Amino acid sequence: WGNRIDVPVIVGKPNGDPAAVSYEAAQRAIQESCDVLIIDTAGRLHTKSDLMDELTKVRRVVEKLTPIDEVIFVLDGTMGQNGITQAHTFAKATDLTGIVVTKLDGSTKGGIAISVERDLDIPIKFIGTGESISDLQEFKSEEFISELLA
């Protein structure tokens, strides 16, 4: 994706420390006066405590250099009730500020997102309805509810 949208990507060594890569990326973002730094911590299972501990460490080391404005939880719209458990585990590891609901391009409607939003008291910010850049859309509650009830 970095190549597709012409954005630099910093990648760590295989099996390297995610916090070290995040720190390096934050340093570079500051040096280059970037407006936005996205740290992708995808692939974490909420059942693996060591991976959740890494999230806490990533936040701690990045905050030594710069404040963190957003921590977005990406919720698989096909997840079902397990999504609530997963969201709570991530919220314990780091303060979440928003939700992105993905995989809404199939038969799933992502209704679990409403429960996660309510339980964690954080807003749904975006929805993903496909795999292209234009398929990530701002969340519009009226449209979402209308689709959910259709």
Side-chain angles (χ1 to χ4, degrees):
W1 274 105
N3 289 336
R4 287 182 188 175
I5 60 174
D6 195 31
V7 173
V9 176
I10 296 174
V11 179
K13 299 173 186 166
N15 299 316
D17 180 12
V21 177
S22 300
Y23 189 85
E24 178 186 340
Q27 284 181 316
R28 184 167 163 189
I30 291 166
Q31 290 168 353
E32 296 180 12
S33 300
C34 296
D35 294 328
V36 175
L37 169 63
I38 297 173
I39 299 173
D40 182 355
T41 61
R44 293 172 188 281
L45 296 173
H46 65 287
T47 56
K48 302 287 186 182
S49 61
D50 57 326
L51 296 179
M52 293 295 101
D53 291 343
E54 282 181 353
L55 284 180
T56 304
K57 183 179 176 186
V58 164
R59 182 178 194 117
R60 190 173 59 247
V61 301
V62 170
E63 284 181 325
K64 289 179 180 180
L65 295 175
T66 185
I68 297 173
D69 297 323
E70 291 274 6
V71 178
I72 305 292
F73 175 69
V74 178
L75 175 65
D76 180 333
T78 66
M79 178 85 49
Q81 291 296 315
N82 193 36
I84 294 173
T85 303
Q86 186 181 36
H88 278 279
T89 304
F90 275 78
K92 285 179 187 173
T94 187
D95 295 329
L96 302 175
T97 60
I99 304 166
V100 173
V101 187
T102 62
K103 299 185 182 173
L104 296 180
D105 50 330
S107 61
T108 188
K109 295 187 178 187
I112 195 64
I114 301 298
S115 295
V116 172
E117 179 184 44
R118 183 191 65 229
D119 283 2
L120 295 179
D121 194 28
I122 56 173
I124 300 170
K125 297 196 173 199
F126 297 95
I127 60 168
T129 59
E131 295 185 17
S132 71
I133 193 81
S134 62
D135 292 331
L136 185 63
Q137 304 161 4
E138 185 177 344
F139 175 73
K140 295 179 180 152
S141 59
E142 296 82 17
E143 290 177 20
F144 186 80
I145 298 298
S146 182
E147 286 292 318
L148 192 61
L149 298 175

mmCIF file of all heavy atoms in Angstrom, residues 91-137:
data_model
loop_
_atom_site.group_PDB
_atom_site.id
_atom_site.type_symbol
_atom_site.label_atom_id
_atom_site.label_comp_id
_atom_site.label_asym_id
_atom_site.label_seq_id
_atom_site.Cartn_x
_atom_site.Cartn_y
_atom_site.Cartn_z
ATOM 1 N N ALA A 91 -8.313 -2.648 24.299
ATOM 2 C CA ALA A 91 -8.520 -1.420 25.073
ATOM 3 C C ALA A 91 -7.752 -1.455 26.394
ATOM 4 O O ALA A 91 -7.310 -0.414 26.888
ATOM 5 C CB ALA A 91 -10.009 -1.197 25.326
ATOM 6 N N LYS A 92 -7.593 -2.642 26.972
ATOM 7 C CA LYS A 92 -6.796 -2.760 28.201
ATOM 8 C C LYS A 92 -5.319 -2.547 27.922
ATOM 9 O O LYS A 92 -4.590 -2.042 28.767
ATOM 10 C CB LYS A 92 -7.001 -4.132 28.837
ATOM 11 C CG LYS A 92 -8.333 -4.283 29.526
ATOM 12 C CD LYS A 92 -8.481 -5.678 30.112
ATOM 13 C CE LYS A 92 -9.890 -5.872 30.644
ATOM 14 N NZ LYS A 92 -10.115 -7.268 31.061
ATOM 15 N N ALA A 93 -4.861 -2.932 26.738
ATOM 16 C CA ALA A 93 -3.443 -2.807 26.382
ATOM 17 C C ALA A 93 -3.064 -1.374 26.033
ATOM 18 O O ALA A 93 -1.942 -0.945 26.292
ATOM 19 C CB ALA A 93 -3.104 -3.739 25.225
ATOM 20 N N THR A 94 -3.991 -0.646 25.434
ATOM 21 C CA THR A 94 -3.718 0.745 25.034
ATOM 22 C C THR A 94 -5.036 1.495 24.917
ATOM 23 O O THR A 94 -6.071 0.911 24.598
ATOM 24 C CB THR A 94 -2.932 0.802 23.702
ATOM 25 O OG1 THR A 94 -2.556 2.151 23.442
ATOM 26 C CG2 THR A 94 -3.703 0.229 22.544
ATOM 27 N N ASP A 95 -5.008 2.766 25.203
ATOM 28 C CA ASP A 95 -6.229 3.575 25.117
ATOM 29 C C ASP A 95 -6.649 3.716 23.660
ATOM 30 O O ASP A 95 -5.896 4.235 22.841
ATOM 31 C CB ASP A 95 -5.998 4.968 25.718
ATOM 32 C CG ASP A 95 -5.725 4.910 27.211
ATOM 33 O OD1 ASP A 95 -6.259 4.005 27.876
ATOM 34 O OD2 ASP A 95 -4.983 5.776 27.706
ATOM 35 N N LEU A 96 -7.857 3.255 23.359
ATOM 36 C CA LEU A 96 -8.384 3.347 21.998
ATOM 37 C C LEU A 96 -9.190 4.630 21.845
ATOM 38 O O LEU A 96 -9.881 5.051 22.770
ATOM 39 C CB LEU A 96 -9.273 2.137 21.695
ATOM 40 C CG LEU A 96 -8.610 0.759 21.828
ATOM 41 C CD1 LEU A 96 -9.648 -0.348 21.614
ATOM 42 C CD2 LEU A 96 -7.462 0.622 20.853
ATOM 43 N N THR A 97 -9.102 5.223 20.650
ATOM 44 C CA THR A 97 -9.846 6.454 20.388
ATOM 45 C C THR A 97 -10.896 6.296 19.296
ATOM 46 O O THR A 97 -11.669 7.211 19.060
ATOM 47 C CB THR A 97 -8.892 7.589 19.977
ATOM 48 O OG1 THR A 97 -8.192 7.195 18.801
ATOM 49 C CG2 THR A 97 -7.907 7.919 21.097
ATOM 50 N N GLY A 98 -10.901 5.150 18.627
ATOM 51 C CA GLY A 98 -11.864 4.968 17.549
ATOM 52 C C GLY A 98 -11.843 3.557 17.010
ATOM 53 O O GLY A 98 -10.978 2.749 17.352
ATOM 54 N N ILE A 99 -12.818 3.294 16.149
ATOM 55 C CA ILE A 99 -12.993 1.980 15.555
ATOM 56 C C ILE A 99 -13.096 2.125 14.042
ATOM 57 O O ILE A 99 -13.730 3.063 13.546
ATOM 58 C CB ILE A 99 -14.295 1.321 16.062
ATOM 59 C CG1 ILE A 99 -14.310 1.238 17.592
ATOM 60 C CG2 ILE A 99 -14.506 -0.059 15.438
ATOM 61 C CD1 ILE A 99 -15.681 0.926 18.172
ATOM 62 N N VAL A 100 -12.487 1.189 13.324
ATOM 63 C CA VAL A 100 -12.709 1.018 11.895
ATOM 64 C C VAL A 100 -13.321 -0.369 11.743
ATOM 65 O O VAL A 100 -12.776 -1.342 12.263
ATOM 66 C CB VAL A 100 -11.402 1.101 11.077
ATOM 67 C CG1 VAL A 100 -11.658 0.739 9.617
ATOM 68 C CG2 VAL A 100 -10.782 2.468 11.179
ATOM 69 N N VAL A 101 -14.452 -0.459 11.068
ATOM 70 C CA VAL A 101 -15.104 -1.740 10.823
ATOM 71 C C VAL A 101 -14.809 -2.141 9.383
ATOM 72 O O VAL A 101 -15.105 -1.380 8.460
ATOM 73 C CB VAL A 101 -16.631 -1.662 11.039
ATOM 74 C CG1 VAL A 101 -17.246 -3.048 10.942
ATOM 75 C CG2 VAL A 101 -16.965 -1.017 12.367
ATOM 76 N N THR A 102 -14.222 -3.331 9.214
ATOM 77 C CA THR A 102 -13.837 -3.785 7.879
ATOM 78 C C THR A 102 -14.680 -4.973 7.431
ATOM 79 O O THR A 102 -15.451 -5.528 8.198
ATOM 80 C CB THR A 102 -12.353 -4.204 7.846
ATOM 81 O OG1 THR A 102 -12.164 -5.306 8.733
ATOM 82 C CG2 THR A 102 -11.453 -3.045 8.232
ATOM 83 N N LYS A 103 -14.480 -5.334 6.178
ATOM 84 C CA LYS A 103 -15.116 -6.498 5.547
ATOM 85 C C LYS A 103 -16.637 -6.362 5.462
ATOM 86 O O LYS A 103 -17.364 -7.333 5.604
ATOM 87 C CB LYS A 103 -14.712 -7.793 6.250
ATOM 88 C CG LYS A 103 -13.213 -8.048 6.195
ATOM 89 C CD LYS A 103 -12.860 -9.383 6.776
ATOM 90 C CE LYS A 103 -11.346 -9.569 6.746
ATOM 91 N NZ LYS A 103 -10.949 -10.775 7.450
ATOM 92 N N LEU A 104 -17.078 -5.157 5.191
ATOM 93 C CA LEU A 104 -18.513 -4.933 5.035
ATOM 94 C C LEU A 104 -18.953 -5.017 3.582
ATOM 95 O O LEU A 104 -20.029 -4.562 3.231
ATOM 96 C CB LEU A 104 -18.903 -3.566 5.628
ATOM 97 C CG LEU A 104 -18.682 -3.432 7.135
ATOM 98 C CD1 LEU A 104 -19.099 -2.045 7.611
ATOM 99 C CD2 LEU A 104 -19.412 -4.513 7.904
ATOM 100 N N ASP A 105 -18.117 -5.635 2.734
ATOM 101 C CA ASP A 105 -18.433 -5.762 1.320
ATOM 102 C C ASP A 105 -19.121 -7.079 0.994
ATOM 103 O O ASP A 105 -19.572 -7.285 -0.121
ATOM 104 C CB ASP A 105 -17.173 -5.605 0.464
ATOM 105 C CG ASP A 105 -16.024 -6.479 0.938
ATOM 106 O OD1 ASP A 105 -15.938 -6.761 2.151
ATOM 107 O OD2 ASP A 105 -15.200 -6.877 0.105
ATOM 108 N N GLY A 106 -19.257 -7.954 1.956
ATOM 109 C CA GLY A 106 -19.917 -9.239 1.726
ATOM 110 C C GLY A 106 -21.313 -9.239 2.329
ATOM 111 O O GLY A 106 -21.981 -8.214 2.414
ATOM 112 N N SER A 107 -21.730 -10.385 2.780
ATOM 113 C CA SER A 107 -23.076 -10.517 3.340
ATOM 114 C C SER A 107 -23.152 -10.038 4.788
ATOM 115 O O SER A 107 -24.237 -9.797 5.305
ATOM 116 C CB SER A 107 -23.542 -11.975 3.261
ATOM 117 O OG SER A 107 -22.665 -12.798 4.009
ATOM 118 N N THR A 108 -22.016 -9.880 5.439
ATOM 119 C CA THR A 108 -22.028 -9.414 6.819
ATOM 120 C C THR A 108 -22.434 -7.952 6.894
ATOM 121 O O THR A 108 -22.170 -7.172 5.987
ATOM 122 C CB THR A 108 -20.653 -9.615 7.483
ATOM 123 O OG1 THR A 108 -20.778 -9.324 8.867
ATOM 124 C CG2 THR A 108 -19.611 -8.708 6.881
ATOM 125 N N LYS A 109 -23.080 -7.594 7.988
ATOM 126 C CA LYS A 109 -23.513 -6.208 8.151
ATOM 127 C C LYS A 109 -22.745 -5.489 9.245
ATOM 128 O O LYS A 109 -22.879 -4.291 9.412
ATOM 129 C CB LYS A 109 -25.014 -6.171 8.439
ATOM 130 C CG LYS A 109 -25.831 -6.671 7.252
ATOM 131 C CD LYS A 109 -27.295 -6.463 7.483
ATOM 132 C CE LYS A 109 -28.082 -6.919 6.253
ATOM 133 N NZ LYS A 109 -29.492 -6.574 6.370
ATOM 134 N N GLY A 110 -21.945 -6.208 10.030
ATOM 135 C CA GLY A 110 -21.089 -5.573 11.029
ATOM 136 C C GLY A 110 -21.820 -5.028 12.231
ATOM 137 O O GLY A 110 -21.348 -4.099 12.875
ATOM 138 N N GLY A 111 -22.951 -5.609 12.573
ATOM 139 C CA GLY A 111 -23.733 -5.121 13.704
ATOM 140 C C GLY A 111 -22.997 -5.147 15.025
ATOM 141 O O GLY A 111 -23.294 -4.363 15.922
ATOM 142 N N ILE A 112 -21.986 -6.012 15.144
ATOM 143 C CA ILE A 112 -21.213 -6.094 16.377
ATOM 144 C C ILE A 112 -20.512 -4.769 16.671
ATOM 145 O O ILE A 112 -20.219 -4.451 17.826
ATOM 146 C CB ILE A 112 -20.198 -7.268 16.310
ATOM 147 C CG1 ILE A 112 -19.648 -7.587 17.691
ATOM 148 C CG2 ILE A 112 -19.071 -6.972 15.346
ATOM 149 C CD1 ILE A 112 -20.691 -8.073 18.662
ATOM 150 N N ALA A 113 -20.271 -3.974 15.657
ATOM 151 C CA ALA A 113 -19.594 -2.686 15.838
ATOM 152 C C ALA A 113 -20.374 -1.769 16.776
ATOM 153 O O ALA A 113 -19.777 -1.030 17.564
ATOM 154 C CB ALA A 113 -19.382 -2.004 14.495
ATOM 155 N N ILE A 114 -21.694 -1.834 16.712
ATOM 156 C CA ILE A 114 -22.522 -0.992 17.586
ATOM 157 C C ILE A 114 -22.300 -1.391 19.039
ATOM 158 O O ILE A 114 -22.175 -0.536 19.919
ATOM 159 C CB ILE A 114 -24.021 -1.112 17.206
ATOM 160 C CG1 ILE A 114 -24.246 -0.697 15.754
ATOM 161 C CG2 ILE A 114 -24.887 -0.325 18.158
ATOM 162 C CD1 ILE A 114 -23.890 0.730 15.429
ATOM 163 N N SER A 115 -22.223 -2.695 19.307
ATOM 164 C CA SER A 115 -21.972 -3.171 20.679
ATOM 165 C C SER A 115 -20.590 -2.751 21.163
ATOM 166 O O SER A 115 -20.429 -2.327 22.309
ATOM 167 C CB SER A 115 -22.099 -4.688 20.744
ATOM 168 O OG SER A 115 -23.408 -5.086 20.474
ATOM 169 N N VAL A 116 -19.599 -2.866 20.299
ATOM 170 C CA VAL A 116 -18.238 -2.472 20.676
ATOM 171 C C VAL A 116 -18.184 -0.975 20.943
ATOM 172 O O VAL A 116 -17.613 -0.535 21.945
ATOM 173 C CB VAL A 116 -17.213 -2.889 19.590
ATOM 174 C CG1 VAL A 116 -15.832 -2.314 19.886
ATOM 175 C CG2 VAL A 116 -17.151 -4.410 19.483
ATOM 176 N N GLU A 117 -18.814 -0.199 20.091
ATOM 177 C CA GLU A 117 -18.846 1.254 20.276
ATOM 178 C C GLU A 117 -19.477 1.617 21.617
ATOM 179 O O GLU A 117 -18.954 2.431 22.373
ATOM 180 C CB GLU A 117 -19.622 1.906 19.125
ATOM 181 C CG GLU A 117 -19.728 3.421 19.259
ATOM 182 C CD GLU A 117 -20.582 4.047 18.163
ATOM 183 O OE1 GLU A 117 -21.659 3.488 17.855
ATOM 184 O OE2 GLU A 117 -20.166 5.084 17.634
ATOM 185 N N ARG A 118 -20.584 0.981 21.925
ATOM 186 C CA ARG A 118 -21.294 1.265 23.173
ATOM 187 C C ARG A 118 -20.479 0.805 24.383
ATOM 188 O O ARG A 118 -20.309 1.548 25.345
ATOM 189 C CB ARG A 118 -22.658 0.578 23.170
ATOM 190 C CG ARG A 118 -23.493 0.897 24.420
ATOM 191 C CD ARG A 118 -24.715 0.029 24.554
ATOM 192 N NE ARG A 118 -24.279 -1.354 24.754
ATOM 193 C CZ ARG A 118 -24.735 -2.392 24.074
ATOM 194 N NH1 ARG A 118 -25.648 -2.243 23.155
ATOM 195 N NH2 ARG A 118 -24.293 -3.610 24.315
ATOM 196 N N ASP A 119 -19.962 -0.429 24.333
ATOM 197 C CA ASP A 119 -19.227 -0.975 25.477
ATOM 198 C C ASP A 119 -17.963 -0.191 25.799
ATOM 199 O O ASP A 119 -17.629 -0.004 26.962
ATOM 200 C CB ASP A 119 -18.852 -2.437 25.221
ATOM 201 C CG ASP A 119 -20.015 -3.388 25.399
ATOM 202 O OD1 ASP A 119 -21.145 -2.931 25.684
ATOM 203 O OD2 ASP A 119 -19.803 -4.610 25.255
ATOM 204 N N LEU A 120 -17.245 0.236 24.777
ATOM 205 C CA LEU A 120 -15.977 0.947 24.996
ATOM 206 C C LEU A 120 -16.131 2.466 25.014
ATOM 207 O O LEU A 120 -15.185 3.176 25.339
ATOM 208 C CB LEU A 120 -14.960 0.546 23.931
ATOM 209 C CG LEU A 120 -14.512 -0.914 23.950
ATOM 210 C CD1 LEU A 120 -13.523 -1.177 22.832
ATOM 211 C CD2 LEU A 120 -13.924 -1.301 25.293
ATOM 212 N N ASP A 121 -17.296 2.934 24.635
ATOM 213 C CA ASP A 121 -17.575 4.377 24.569
ATOM 214 C C ASP A 121 -16.560 5.106 23.686
ATOM 215 O O ASP A 121 -15.998 6.135 24.061
ATOM 216 C CB ASP A 121 -17.611 4.984 25.972
ATOM 217 C CG ASP A 121 -18.224 6.379 25.978
ATOM 218 O OD1 ASP A 121 -19.065 6.666 25.103
ATOM 219 O OD2 ASP A 121 -17.838 7.195 26.849
ATOM 220 N N ILE A 122 -16.313 4.516 22.508
ATOM 221 C CA ILE A 122 -15.459 5.152 21.501
ATOM 222 C C ILE A 122 -16.186 5.102 20.159
ATOM 223 O O ILE A 122 -16.944 4.171 19.909
ATOM 224 C CB ILE A 122 -14.066 4.489 21.387
ATOM 225 C CG1 ILE A 122 -14.178 2.991 21.089
ATOM 226 C CG2 ILE A 122 -13.237 4.736 22.632
ATOM 227 C CD1 ILE A 122 -12.854 2.308 20.811
ATOM 228 N N PRO A 123 -15.989 6.102 19.314
ATOM 229 C CA PRO A 123 -16.754 6.183 18.077
ATOM 230 C C PRO A 123 -16.236 5.280 16.957
ATOM 231 O O PRO A 123 -15.048 4.989 16.869
ATOM 232 C CB PRO A 123 -16.584 7.652 17.669
ATOM 233 C CG PRO A 123 -15.243 8.030 18.215
ATOM 234 C CD PRO A 123 -15.117 7.267 19.514
ATOM 235 N N ILE A 124 -17.171 4.866 16.112
ATOM 236 C CA ILE A 124 -16.799 4.246 14.844
ATOM 237 C C ILE A 124 -16.418 5.400 13.927
ATOM 238 O O ILE A 124 -17.205 6.334 13.755
ATOM 239 C CB ILE A 124 -17.965 3.449 14.237
ATOM 240 C CG1 ILE A 124 -18.412 2.339 15.195
ATOM 241 C CG2 ILE A 124 -17.570 2.869 12.875
ATOM 242 C CD1 ILE A 124 -19.703 1.656 14.788
ATOM 243 N N LYS A 125 -15.235 5.357 13.352
ATOM 244 C CA LYS A 125 -14.763 6.467 12.523
ATOM 245 C C LYS A 125 -14.819 6.158 11.034
ATOM 246 O O LYS A 125 -15.105 7.039 10.233
ATOM 247 C CB LYS A 125 -13.351 6.860 12.936
ATOM 248 C CG LYS A 125 -13.327 7.372 14.381
ATOM 249 C CD LYS A 125 -12.088 8.108 14.692
ATOM 250 C CE LYS A 125 -12.235 8.723 16.076
ATOM 251 N NZ LYS A 125 -11.309 9.788 16.320
ATOM 252 N N PHE A 126 -14.516 4.907 10.680
ATOM 253 C CA PHE A 126 -14.488 4.531 9.267
ATOM 254 C C PHE A 126 -15.045 3.126 9.101
ATOM 255 O O PHE A 126 -15.059 2.340 10.038
ATOM 256 C CB PHE A 126 -13.057 4.562 8.710
ATOM 257 C CG PHE A 126 -12.423 5.915 8.733
ATOM 258 C CD1 PHE A 126 -11.615 6.301 9.782
ATOM 259 C CD2 PHE A 126 -12.648 6.813 7.696
ATOM 260 C CE1 PHE A 126 -11.029 7.556 9.812
ATOM 261 C CE2 PHE A 126 -12.070 8.073 7.715
ATOM 262 C CZ PHE A 126 -11.262 8.438 8.771
ATOM 263 N N ILE A 127 -15.475 2.840 7.873
ATOM 264 C CA ILE A 127 -15.865 1.481 7.496
ATOM 265 C C ILE A 127 -15.119 1.105 6.231
ATOM 266 O O ILE A 127 -14.811 1.955 5.399
ATOM 267 C CB ILE A 127 -17.391 1.335 7.290
ATOM 268 C CG1 ILE A 127 -17.902 2.255 6.180
ATOM 269 C CG2 ILE A 127 -18.141 1.571 8.596
ATOM 270 C CD1 ILE A 127 -19.322 1.955 5.745
ATOM 271 N N GLY A 128 -14.823 -0.174 6.121
ATOM 272 C CA GLY A 128 -14.156 -0.693 4.936
ATOM 273 C C GLY A 128 -15.099 -1.611 4.183
ATOM 274 O O GLY A 128 -15.672 -2.532 4.759
ATOM 275 N N THR A 129 -15.266 -1.323 2.893
ATOM 276 C CA THR A 129 -16.208 -2.094 2.083
ATOM 277 C C THR A 129 -15.531 -2.784 0.902
ATOM 278 O O THR A 129 -16.198 -3.172 -0.043
ATOM 279 C CB THR A 129 -17.340 -1.182 1.564
ATOM 280 O OG1 THR A 129 -16.755 -0.127 0.794
ATOM 281 C CG2 THR A 129 -18.155 -0.609 2.703
ATOM 282 N N GLY A 130 -14.223 -2.930 0.961
ATOM 283 C CA GLY A 130 -13.493 -3.569 -0.128
ATOM 284 C C GLY A 130 -12.007 -3.438 0.092
ATOM 285 O O GLY A 130 -11.559 -3.144 1.196
ATOM 286 N N GLU A 131 -11.250 -3.626 -0.981
ATOM 287 C CA GLU A 131 -9.791 -3.635 -0.860
ATOM 288 C C GLU A 131 -9.091 -2.505 -1.599
ATOM 289 O O GLU A 131 -7.865 -2.494 -1.676
ATOM 290 C CB GLU A 131 -9.256 -4.986 -1.333
ATOM 291 C CG GLU A 131 -9.720 -6.121 -0.437
ATOM 292 C CD GLU A 131 -9.096 -7.447 -0.812
ATOM 293 O OE1 GLU A 131 -8.084 -7.476 -1.534
ATOM 294 O OE2 GLU A 131 -9.642 -8.471 -0.362
ATOM 295 N N SER A 132 -9.830 -1.563 -2.131
ATOM 296 C CA SER A 132 -9.167 -0.434 -2.786
ATOM 297 C C SER A 132 -9.192 0.768 -1.845
ATOM 298 O O SER A 132 -9.942 0.801 -0.875
ATOM 299 C CB SER A 132 -9.847 -0.092 -4.117
ATOM 300 O OG SER A 132 -11.102 0.487 -3.903
ATOM 301 N N ILE A 133 -8.362 1.745 -2.146
ATOM 302 C CA ILE A 133 -8.219 2.918 -1.276
ATOM 303 C C ILE A 133 -9.541 3.657 -1.105
ATOM 304 O O ILE A 133 -9.842 4.172 -0.040
ATOM 305 C CB ILE A 133 -7.094 3.854 -1.770
ATOM 306 C CG1 ILE A 133 -6.735 4.898 -0.719
ATOM 307 C CG2 ILE A 133 -7.447 4.530 -3.060
ATOM 308 C CD1 ILE A 133 -5.815 4.399 0.333
ATOM 309 N N SER A 134 -10.366 3.655 -2.135
ATOM 310 C CA SER A 134 -11.647 4.363 -2.046
ATOM 311 C C SER A 134 -12.700 3.582 -1.262
ATOM 312 O O SER A 134 -13.783 4.103 -0.986
ATOM 313 C CB SER A 134 -12.176 4.677 -3.451
ATOM 314 O OG SER A 134 -12.401 3.473 -4.155
ATOM 315 N N ASP A 135 -12.381 2.363 -0.866
ATOM 316 C CA ASP A 135 -13.327 1.540 -0.114
ATOM 317 C C ASP A 135 -13.262 1.777 1.392
ATOM 318 O O ASP A 135 -14.021 1.176 2.144
ATOM 319 C CB ASP A 135 -13.101 0.056 -0.404
ATOM 320 C CG ASP A 135 -13.465 -0.311 -1.831
ATOM 321 O OD1 ASP A 135 -14.351 0.348 -2.409
ATOM 322 O OD2 ASP A 135 -12.852 -1.245 -2.373
ATOM 323 N N LEU A 136 -12.378 2.634 1.833
ATOM 324 C CA LEU A 136 -12.351 3.059 3.229
ATOM 325 C C LEU A 136 -13.102 4.377 3.294
ATOM 326 O O LEU A 136 -12.684 5.371 2.699
ATOM 327 C CB LEU A 136 -10.912 3.221 3.728
ATOM 328 C CG LEU A 136 -10.767 3.549 5.205
ATOM 329 C CD1 LEU A 136 -11.313 2.412 6.074
ATOM 330 C CD2 LEU A 136 -9.304 3.804 5.541
ATOM 331 N N GLN A 137 -14.230 4.362 3.982
ATOM 332 C CA GLN A 137 -15.122 5.519 3.973
ATOM 333 C C GLN A 137 -15.392 6.013 5.384
ATOM 334 O O GLN A 137 -15.397 5.228 6.335
ATOM 335 C CB GLN A 137 -16.448 5.140 3.322
ATOM 336 C CG GLN A 137 -16.296 4.575 1.932
ATOM 337 C CD GLN A 137 -17.529 3.800 1.497
ATOM 338 O OE1 GLN A 137 -18.532 3.734 2.176
ATOM 339 N NE2 GLN A 137 -17.433 3.174 0.331
#
